[in-house]
mmCIF file of all heavy atoms in Angstrom:
data_model
loop_
_atom_site.group_PDB
_atom_site.id
_atom_site.type_symbol
_atom_site.label_atom_id
_atom_site.label_comp_id
_atom_site.label_asym_id
_atom_site.label_seq_id
_atom_site.Cartn_x
_atom_site.Cartn_y
_atom_site.Cartn_z
ATOM 1 N N ALA W 1200 86.714 57.664 43.470
ATOM 2 C CA ALA W 1200 86.908 56.456 44.285
ATOM 3 C C ALA W 1200 88.387 56.096 44.239
ATOM 4 O O ALA W 1200 88.990 56.077 43.166
ATOM 5 C CB ALA W 1200 86.060 55.311 43.766
ATOM 6 N N SER W 1201 88.966 55.817 45.392
ATOM 7 C CA SER W 1201 90.403 55.567 45.433
ATOM 8 C C SER W 1201 90.735 54.317 46.215
ATOM 9 O O SER W 1201 89.966 53.855 47.057
ATOM 10 C CB SER W 1201 91.129 56.769 46.053
ATOM 11 O OG SER W 1201 90.823 56.880 47.428
ATOM 12 N N ASP W 1202 91.915 53.790 45.935
ATOM 13 C CA ASP W 1202 92.450 52.671 46.695
ATOM 14 C C ASP W 1202 93.960 52.643 46.503
ATOM 15 O O ASP W 1202 94.481 53.197 45.519
ATOM 16 C CB ASP W 1202 91.839 51.346 46.250
ATOM 17 C CG ASP W 1202 91.945 50.263 47.325
ATOM 18 O OD1 ASP W 1202 92.981 49.588 47.384
ATOM 19 O OD2 ASP W 1202 90.998 50.126 48.125
ATOM 20 N N ILE W 1203 94.645 51.989 47.422
ATOM 21 C CA ILE W 1203 96.101 51.857 47.324
ATOM 22 C C ILE W 1203 96.494 50.767 46.326
ATOM 23 O O ILE W 1203 97.594 50.761 45.789
ATOM 24 C CB ILE W 1203 96.707 51.554 48.714
ATOM 25 C CG1 ILE W 1203 98.228 51.690 48.699
ATOM 26 C CG2 ILE W 1203 96.281 50.185 49.219
ATOM 27 C CD1 ILE W 1203 98.866 51.528 50.070
ATOM 28 N N SER W 1204 95.576 49.848 46.061
ATOM 29 C CA SER W 1204 95.877 48.659 45.256
ATOM 30 C C SER W 1204 95.477 48.861 43.794
ATOM 31 O O SER W 1204 94.304 49.063 43.482
ATOM 32 C CB SER W 1204 95.144 47.441 45.823
ATOM 33 O OG SER W 1204 95.227 46.344 44.936
ATOM 34 N N THR W 1205 96.451 48.778 42.897
ATOM 35 C CA THR W 1205 96.145 48.886 41.469
ATOM 36 C C THR W 1205 95.366 47.670 40.979
ATOM 37 O O THR W 1205 94.556 47.774 40.056
ATOM 38 C CB THR W 1205 97.437 49.012 40.646
ATOM 39 O OG1 THR W 1205 98.309 47.916 40.940
ATOM 40 C CG2 THR W 1205 98.154 50.313 40.966
ATOM 41 N N GLU W 1206 95.583 46.533 41.617
ATOM 42 C CA GLU W 1206 94.890 45.308 41.209
ATOM 43 C C GLU W 1206 93.385 45.433 41.423
ATOM 44 O O GLU W 1206 92.589 45.115 40.525
ATOM 45 C CB GLU W 1206 95.435 44.114 41.992
ATOM 46 C CG GLU W 1206 94.805 42.782 41.598
ATOM 47 C CD GLU W 1206 95.397 41.622 42.371
ATOM 48 O OE1 GLU W 1206 96.508 41.764 42.913
ATOM 49 O OE2 GLU W 1206 94.746 40.561 42.408
ATOM 50 N N VAL W 1207 92.972 45.906 42.593
ATOM 51 C CA VAL W 1207 91.537 46.025 42.837
ATOM 52 C C VAL W 1207 90.941 47.176 42.034
ATOM 53 O O VAL W 1207 89.762 47.134 41.649
ATOM 54 C CB VAL W 1207 91.199 46.170 44.335
ATOM 55 C CG1 VAL W 1207 91.653 44.960 45.116
ATOM 56 C CG2 VAL W 1207 91.755 47.448 44.925
ATOM 57 N N LEU W 1208 91.724 48.214 41.762
ATOM 58 C CA LEU W 1208 91.230 49.319 40.948
ATOM 59 C C LEU W 1208 90.933 48.859 39.515
ATOM 60 O O LEU W 1208 89.962 49.316 38.897
ATOM 61 C CB LEU W 1208 92.237 50.466 40.933
ATOM 62 C CG LEU W 1208 92.338 51.284 42.228
ATOM 63 C CD1 LEU W 1208 93.504 52.256 42.151
ATOM 64 C CD2 LEU W 1208 91.041 52.032 42.503
ATOM 65 N N GLU W 1209 91.751 47.973 38.993
ATOM 66 C CA GLU W 1209 91.487 47.427 37.656
ATOM 67 C C GLU W 1209 90.173 46.662 37.640
ATOM 68 O O GLU W 1209 89.376 46.774 36.697
ATOM 69 C CB GLU W 1209 92.644 46.524 37.229
ATOM 70 C CG GLU W 1209 93.927 47.285 36.888
ATOM 71 C CD GLU W 1209 95.086 46.351 36.624
ATOM 72 O OE1 GLU W 1209 94.874 45.118 36.601
ATOM 73 O OE2 GLU W 1209 96.211 46.852 36.426
ATOM 74 N N ARG W 1210 89.926 45.886 38.689
ATOM 75 C CA ARG W 1210 88.659 45.163 38.792
ATOM 76 C C ARG W 1210 87.498 46.130 38.913
ATOM 77 O O ARG W 1210 86.429 45.943 38.320
ATOM 78 C CB ARG W 1210 88.662 44.244 40.007
ATOM 79 C CG ARG W 1210 89.404 42.927 39.817
ATOM 80 C CD ARG W 1210 88.903 41.911 40.842
ATOM 81 N NE ARG W 1210 87.480 41.671 40.677
ATOM 82 C CZ ARG W 1210 86.659 41.269 41.641
ATOM 83 N NH1 ARG W 1210 87.112 41.072 42.860
ATOM 84 N NH2 ARG W 1210 85.388 41.075 41.406
#
Side-chain angles (χ1 to χ4, degrees):
S1201 69
D1202 202 274
I1203 191 175
S1204 170
T1205 55
E1206 182 179 340
V1207 299
L1208 287 172
E1209 288 174 6
R1210 280 201 60 206

